[in-house]
Amino acid sequence: MLRAPAPCLLPGLVGLLMLGACSRPVAPLPHRVLGVHADADSPRVVGAALLTEGDSLDELLARHPRVEPDAALTATLTAILADGGQHLRWSAAPVEDLTCDNGDVRFRIQVRTPPACRERGCPVLAFYSTGCPEPAYHWRPEFFLRAGFIYAEPAVRGTACGEAWARADNGPLRVAAATDLEAASRCLRQRFTRDGEVPQVGIFGWSYGGNQTLVGMTRFAGSYDAGFALAAKTDLASFLSRLSPELRRAKAVEYGDPERDAERLRAISPITWVDRVEAPIALKLGARDPKVSLSDADVFVRALQARGQDASLMIVPEHAHLTERPEEIAFEHAHLLQFFTARFGVPLRVDMRP
């Protein structure tokens, strides 16, 4: 359990974060944190809960309530955000570009390793998003590095590392492109096996990355030892059927048409492979998210729980599709750290040394 230190007793870093003397206030956090997704809090991703007829929001909120993370951990992550990379810069250290082959397809995985894990085995977390990995400071890897995780960002097909690569999982290409998830896990396990000990590998992400997480945990069950999906769709056919005709046509390029491509949508939807899940899995959704069905997620998680699987869903009443405010970021990442340390059986410690 983390203990929140008294502000005047914090070592070394304390004075740096406290703007001098203990009698002076800590600098206020910004409304937005740099580096958040461009869609965060935009009108088109903030709205009413998406529910199936017959489902009650109150019932779903009661079944999958908001849970507060550890307060001391949340405060520690908030302090890292407030520092903004001025003194806490492990994520700015040189990165490793790991080459991964998947048949005749080659992609890279950008890897950051904390100091303590350079000579010993540590668990690995794979973060998926549409962005192309950048070797610069960022508060997200900073959180996980300081908690003792090797942090990996696979640039699989569909990431924005060039226009052609970003389109490489569109439409009919998506079924084959998803096999990069399995290949990435295999490459990470091979790279970080030490003295015959294979590392545990987790997977997480938001929205598109959340969907990658669910596919990795379902269709490619066994590739990852635990997964945490945020703002993720569990049923793509259901998702597309709820869109306006205009938006449905736009999304058809990326996923497929609900009528013409029903079989493909079934193949790329996590709900299709839900019976394969064999490792712990957690989902987090916002009740103000107009893109992701709370009802679909409820069906997905209850199917897992019915067969005794370690599965959970948390619905946060005030959250929308993506988060951008410091308190939201600290809340979500505290849950992520608690989940992965508990499932991997490692101590929850955050190293605050510069």
Side-chain angles (χ1 to χ4, degrees), residues 50-343:
L50 189 57
L51 303 168
T52 299
E53 185 177 351
D55 280 344
S56 159
L57 177 58
D58 288 340
E59 289 175 348
L60 291 182
L61 288 172
R63 189 178 298 149
H64 310 289
R66 173 187 171 123
V67 178
E68 293 302 323
D70 181 85
L73 174 60
T74 304
T76 299
L77 300 185
T78 301
I80 295 174
L81 281 174
D83 177 66
Q86 296 180 72
H87 309 100
L88 303 176
R89 295 181 53 81
W90 284 4
S91 62
V95 302
E96 174 185 356
D97 272 330
L98 177 64
T99 299
C100 186
D101 289 324
N102 180 18
D104 59 357
V105 174
R106 173 169 288 185
F107 61 90
R108 70 183 179 94
I109 305 176
Q110 182 175 278
V111 179
R112 292 174 167 94
T113 302
C117 299
R118 291 171 187 157
E119 302 299 329
R120 64 175 174 85
C122 288
V124 182
L125 291 182
F127 170 61
Y128 285 89
S129 75
T130 56
C132 191
E134 296 290 343
Y137 165 84
H138 194 282
W139 45 266
R140 180 172 290 119
E142 197 76 33
F143 291 160
F144 293 102
L145 293 173
R146 291 183 175 278
F149 290 97
I150 296 168
Y151 186 87
E153 294 181 77
V156 297
R157 282 172 281 185
T159 53
C161 300
E163 186 176 347
W165 194 248
R167 297 197 308 265
D169 70 340
N170 278 358
L173 302 174
R174 186 172 292 267
V175 176
T179 62
D180 290 351
L181 298 169
E182 186 177 34
S185 168
R186 182 173 61 250
C187 290
L188 289 168
R189 291 189 197 276
Q190 290 174 348
R191 167 63 182 85
F192 292 104
T193 293
R194 292 182 184 273
D195 300 322
E197 184 174 345
V198 181
Q200 293 178 296
V201 180
I203 180 173
F204 75 103
W206 281 255
S207 193
Y208 175 90
N211 279 82
Q212 296 282 65
T213 297
L214 293 182
V215 173
M217 293 295 294
T218 56
R219 182 180 165 194
F220 302 109
S223 294
Y224 296 90
D225 300 301
F228 202 130
L230 302 94
K233 309 168 189 70
T234 57
D235 187 333
L236 289 169
S238 173
F239 161 67
L240 291 168
S241 71
R242 299 167 190 271
L243 299 178
S244 66
E246 181 181 3
L247 189 54
R248 190 180 306 134
R249 285 191 295 273
K251 287 294 182 181
V253 175
E254 185 176 357
Y255 298 108
D257 180 86
E259 296 180 2
R260 294 195 308 270
D261 306 309
E263 184 59 28
R264 182 199 308 158
L265 293 176
R266 190 197 71 79
I268 64 176
S269 290
I271 189 63
T272 302
W273 313 100
V274 67
D275 289 340
R276 291 190 177 186
V277 175
E278 58 185 50
I281 188 169
L283 283 74
K284 177 265 170 188
L285 298 176
R288 300 176 64 217
D289 186 343
K291 297 178 65 176
V292 179
S293 169
L294 304 184
S295 300
D296 289 348
D298 175 65
V299 169
F300 181 88
V301 169
R302 291 176 74 182
L304 291 169
Q305 293 173 339
R307 58 184 180 87
Q309 187 65 43
D310 181 352
S312 65
L313 166 63
M314 178 171 58
I315 301 174
V316 182
E318 67 274 22
H319 284 192
H321 186 58
L322 297 170
T323 52
E324 64 171 353
R325 295 176 177 83
E327 63 272 18
E328 297 171 336
I329 290 170
F331 173 89
E332 289 185 335
H333 286 80
H335 274 294
L336 282 159
L337 285 173
Q338 289 179 185
F339 173 79
F340 283 114
T341 53
R343 298 319 187 274

